[in-house]
Amino acid sequence: MTPKEQCVAVSAPKYTSTFPTRRFKSKHVPSENVAKKTYGAPQTHRRLGSDVQKGRRRSKANDRERHRMHNLNSALDALRSILPALPEDSKLTKIETLRFAHNYIWALMETLRMSDQQEPYPSERMRSAAEWENLSQFTSKIKSGQSNGSRAQSLFKLYVNNDFSFGRSSNIGSKN
DNA sequence: TAGGCCATCTGGTCCT
DNA sequence: AGGACCAGATGGCCTA
């Protein structure tokens, strides 16, 4: 098995995502014979035991870790499924999903707060009227189904790549 | 081709 | 002792 084939086999997930990926198209080939990657010599072992025992423990730990990460990904998929999405846009990355969820929750809370207090203006935490305009434009476009225009696209990116909830819409490490 | 994103393996640490 | 969690390492795929 070539290194490439080996890695593809190793990467084969046992779960199936409900979302098409934007950047990762059918790269994973389901395989029951998951090859083991070979890394450098093992470092000091805290636990004693035969190599066979250690091998079994490692294999079980790998299975658990894989399962744990699949659960984490399933939770992320569930989160994606309840977030508004642009029709032609495909799956958000993990970090985009978390940022968007963070901003979206905050926007909903801000909307509730304003309706409770009958305030026509955003809170002082909102940086500017333009910022509020962006937020309300985006939510209204989502609600009206007009979320496929270029304006909506740019607003969507604004939501995904910025953090609105700390008084300033700080860019939080996005490359965009 | 470089950089981003991902799945997986791995060893260490903490908890039950 | 064993499981959960975490971060680093590794290498493949995809896009700009």
Side-chain angles (χ1 to χ4, degrees), chain A residues 54-82:
Chain A
K54 281 187 280 191
R56 278 203 205 101
R57 271 201 299 266
R58 216 341 78 201
S59 180
K60 282 181 70 178
N62 290 346
D63 286 346
R64 286 195 303 273
E65 178 65 8
R66 229 177 291 126
H67 188 247
R68 194 179 71 85
M69 296 309 295
H70 291 170
N71 283 339
L72 187 60
N73 288 332
S74 295
L76 271 168
D77 278 347
L79 180 57
R80 287 186 186 100
S81 72
I82 61 171

Side-chain angles (χ1 to χ4, degrees), chain A residues 152-166:
Chain A
Q153 284 277 359
S154 64
L155 292 174
F156 186 73
K157 284 185 178 178
L158 202 65
Y159 254 62
V160 167
N161 295 320
N162 291 275
D163 182 356
F164 289 114
S165 62
F166 297 113

